[in-house]
């Protein structure tokens, strides 16, 4: 035992040579004024002047996107599953057995389709509106004191853009309330619909690229366990997650850095190609392609999708196994 103790002392002595050990004790009350001063000084650097045009462009693209999609879905029907978030763009829904259903409902069943809406294509993502970027963290009992606005609008707001009342109230909850859309959609020619779809697709790409640029400069966070988004240097403390059963709705969010898909969800759907059957079958699910819902909707109006989506869509792929019979 003595020999083992001596070997350990000699080993620790060699390991600790040339190293300094610091005490972990510190007085937070003395550090707090310094921390608050650094936060105030950091706030002076925002908003960044060069990013203001990007924020304004994002707001403009968002408005054009919502109006464009609300116009196109009046011509090209959207199907939404009654029991899960699945969406399909077409006269009839597909027969692919991917319905996740409710908790007690059997999995991998055929979807039950109902008419879809605007928010089935453009998934709404909201966040708390901060009075200023570097403000105290929102506590749970303060959650009703702050307005909920679209997360993209809040990001642009903090980036120096000045959203109008229309930007704040222009949401994807209901396509009937969209102001400034195309009137008399049913009478539009195929060429006119293609023009609308082209503008919609460009707005989609502009929105996503702009949000990605802004999120590299301004802090945006998303919960690891749910879709809650917070635009600001630190997440809020509203206990709304509910990821753990024992916490129910009183769960605290676990924050991580958000990406463009968290603020502008792509909503991936099955894409029907010219070589595919009129109704997509479960037997060919390994051969069919996918596309973001906005891209798929625009292709229905005759727009050629960007080349970066060709792999996802499987443009030249087969539609079903060779020799299969239906």
């Amino acid at each position: 035992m003595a020999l083992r103790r001596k070997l350990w002392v000699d080993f620790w002595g060699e390991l600790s040579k040339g190293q300094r050990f610091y005490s972990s004790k510190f007085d937070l009350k003395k550090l707090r004024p310094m921390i608050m001063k650094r936060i105030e000084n950091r706030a002076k650097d925002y908003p960044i002047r060069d990013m203001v045009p990007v924020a304004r462009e994002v707001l403009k693209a968002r408005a054009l996107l919502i109006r464009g999609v609300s116009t196109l879905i009046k011509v090209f029907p959207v199907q939404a599953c009654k029991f899960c978030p699945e969406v399909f763009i077409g006269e009839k829904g597909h027969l692919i057995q991917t319905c996740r259903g409710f908790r007690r409902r059997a999995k991998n069943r055929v979807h039950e389709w109902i008419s879809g809406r605007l928010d089935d294509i453009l998934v709404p993502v909201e966040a708390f509106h901060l009075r200023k970027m570097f403000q105290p963290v929102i506590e749970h009992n303060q959650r009703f004191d702050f307005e909920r606005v679209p997360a993209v609008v809040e990001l642009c707001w903090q980036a120096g853009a000045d959203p109008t009342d229309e930007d704040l109230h222009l949401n994807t909850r209901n396509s009937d309330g969209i102001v400034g859309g195309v009137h008399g959609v049913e009478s539009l020619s195929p060429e006119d619909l293609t023009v609308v779809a082209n503008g919609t697709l460009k707005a989609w790409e502009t929105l996503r690229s702009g949000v990605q640029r802004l999120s590299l400069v301004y802090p945006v966070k998303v919960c690891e366990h749910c879709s809650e988004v917070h635009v600001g240097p630190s997440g809020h403390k509203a206990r709304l997650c509910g990821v753990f059963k024992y916490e129910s709705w009183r769960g605290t969010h676990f924050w991580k850095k958000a990406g463009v898909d968290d603020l502008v969800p792509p909503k991936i759907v099955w894409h029907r190609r010219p070589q595919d059957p009129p109704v997509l079958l479960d037997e060919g699910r390994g051969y069919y392609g996918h596309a973001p819902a906005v891209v798929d909707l625009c292709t229905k109006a005759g727009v050629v999708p960007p080349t970066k989506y060709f792999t996802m869509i499987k443009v030249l792929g087969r539609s079903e196994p060779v020799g299969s019979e239906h």
Side-chain angles (χ1 to χ4, degrees), residues 244-260:
F244 299 116
K245 292 182 178 179
Y246 68 88
E247 288 184 327
S248 182
W249 59 273
R250 304 171 72 91
T252 303
H253 295 288
F254 293 85
W255 300 106
K256 66 177 182 178
K257 182 176 177 57
V260 62

Side-chain angles (χ1 to χ4, degrees), residues 12 36 66 104 107 132 139 147 183 226 229 246-247:
W12 180 251
M36 297 303 297
I66 293 177
R104 292 180 175 84
K107 309 301 179 183
K132 56 183 180 179
E139 300 292 339
E147 185 182 2
H183 299 285
C226 70
V229 170
Y246 68 88
E247 288 184 327

Side-chain angles (χ1 to χ4, degrees), residues 295-306:
V295 177
D296 188 37
L297 179 64
C298 293
T299 58
K300 296 293 191 292
V303 175
V304 178

Side-chain angles (χ1 to χ4, degrees), residues 11-63:
F11 171 75
W12 180 251
E14 292 293 331
L15 185 66
S16 60
K17 280 183 179 180
Q19 296 185 8
R20 297 180 63 183
F21 297 92
Y22 298 88
S23 173
S24 59
K25 297 181 180 179
F26 59 89
D27 191 352
L28 183 60
K29 293 182 179 180
K30 294 182 179 180
L31 292 178
R32 181 176 178 81
M34 183 184 67
I35 295 173
M36 297 303 297
K37 185 176 181 180
R38 292 188 62 181
I39 292 175
E40 292 177 1
N41 293 335
R42 184 183 178 187
K44 297 177 182 178
D45 299 331
Y46 293 92
I48 299 175
R49 186 177 301 176
D50 293 341
M51 299 304 294
V52 174
V54 178
R56 292 172 179 167
E57 187 180 29
V58 168
L59 282 179
K60 182 179 178 180
R62 177 180 177 271

Side-chain angles (χ1 to χ4, degrees), residues 70-85:
S70 64
T71 299
L72 293 175
I73 62 176
K74 295 177 182 178
V75 180
F76 305 100
V78 176
Q79 310 297 329
C81 181
K82 186 178 180 180
F83 299 108
C84 76

Side-chain angles (χ1 to χ4, degrees), residues 12 38 48 116 125 141 153 158 166 168-169 182 229 232 244 254 271 273 277 291 298 303 325:
W12 180 251
R38 292 188 62 181
I48 299 175
V125 179
N141 57 359
V153 176
Q158 295 188 19
E166 183 181 356
L168 293 174
H169 297 95
V182 178
V229 170
F244 299 116
F254 293 85
H271 175 75
R273 304 160 299 177
C298 293
V303 175
E325 297 181 0

Side-chain angles (χ1 to χ4, degrees), residues 72 75-76 185-198 298 300-303:
L72 293 175
V75 180
F76 305 100
V185 178
E186 295 77 7
S187 62
L188 291 178
S189 64
E191 291 77 12
D192 294 333
L193 286 175
T194 303
V195 172
V196 174
N198 260 317
C298 293
K300 296 293 191 292
V303 175

